[in-house]
């Protein structure tokens, strides 16, 4: 791993939707911490009619800034990678404000030994449950799902092969 030049720093401004690659934009939630770095990255895929990946924590200011950045566009899909409190809770507010459906692998799994995992959004319920290797089509983009349990049992990645991008 010594040969890999990891970039641990990126420039951003809280509350601002910024391009990171063709067809991909990011806005960072103001929830810095040891597990979120400077904050949770919320990604926007496409232009005009877009998908939002990981709306983030329940921070109304973050959702307001996202919607302001998308004021001339519409959200067709809300995609959630997993149900930790820094990724899924804002999906409820974003769905309420836009009417866009929420897609995810499923709600947080119950464990038989009690609450073994902290920091989870137990009230999360997607409108559509995704499976491994499923395709999601939107205006000018197609994402593929990859079930990646480990970080969370319902963790799923979204691959955009046409752009060489993976949202994990």
């Amino acid at each position: 791993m010594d040969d890999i030049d990891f970039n641990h720093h990126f420039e951003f401004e809280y509350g601002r939707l910024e391009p990171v690659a063709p067809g991909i934009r990011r806005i960072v939630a103001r929830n810095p911490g040891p597990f979120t770095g400077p904050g949770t990255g919320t990604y926007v895929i496409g232009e005009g009619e877009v998908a939002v990946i990981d709306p983030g924590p329940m921070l109304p200011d973050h959702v307001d800034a996202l919607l302001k950045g998308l004021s001339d566009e519409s959200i067709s899909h809300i995609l959630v990678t997993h149900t930790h409190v820094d990724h899924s809770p804002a999906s409820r507010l974003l769905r309420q404000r836009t009417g866009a459906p929420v897609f995810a692998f499923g709600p947080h799994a119950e464990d038989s030994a009690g609450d073994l995992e902290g920091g989870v959004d137990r009230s999360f319920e997607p409108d559509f449950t995704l499976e491994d290797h499923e395709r999601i089509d939107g205006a000018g983009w197609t994402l593929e799902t990859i079930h990646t349990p480990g970080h969370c049992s319902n963790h799923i990645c979204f691959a955009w092969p046409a752009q060489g991008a993976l949202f994990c």
Side-chain angles (χ1 to χ4, degrees), residues 2-17:
D2 293 335
D3 297 340
I4 299 174
D5 185 22
F6 289 105
N7 181 356
H8 296 281
H9 181 74
F10 63 91
E11 296 291 327
F12 72 95
E13 180 183 325
Y14 287 118
R16 184 168 167 230
L17 187 60

Side-chain angles (χ1 to χ4, degrees), residues 75-127:
I75 299 172
S76 61
H77 297 71
I78 300 169
L79 308 170
V80 175
T81 59
H82 65 291
T83 52
H84 281 150
V85 295
D86 56 328
H87 288 262
S88 61
S91 65
R92 288 185 287 283
L93 182 57
L94 192 58
R95 174 179 40 204
Q96 178 185 17
R97 303 241 339 246
T98 66
V102 177
F103 297 77
F105 191 74
H108 195 80
E110 295 296 325
D111 58 67
S112 59
D115 190 10
L116 296 177
E117 187 177 359
V120 298
D121 180 7
R122 295 212 179 270
S123 63
F124 176 79
E125 287 285 338
D127 297 307

Side-chain angles (χ1 to χ4, degrees), residues 81-82 105 132 146-157:
T81 59
H82 65 291
F105 191 74
D132 192 25
I146 306 164
H147 183 215
T148 51
H151 178 66
C152 193
S153 64
N154 64 355
H155 194 281
I156 197 163
C157 293

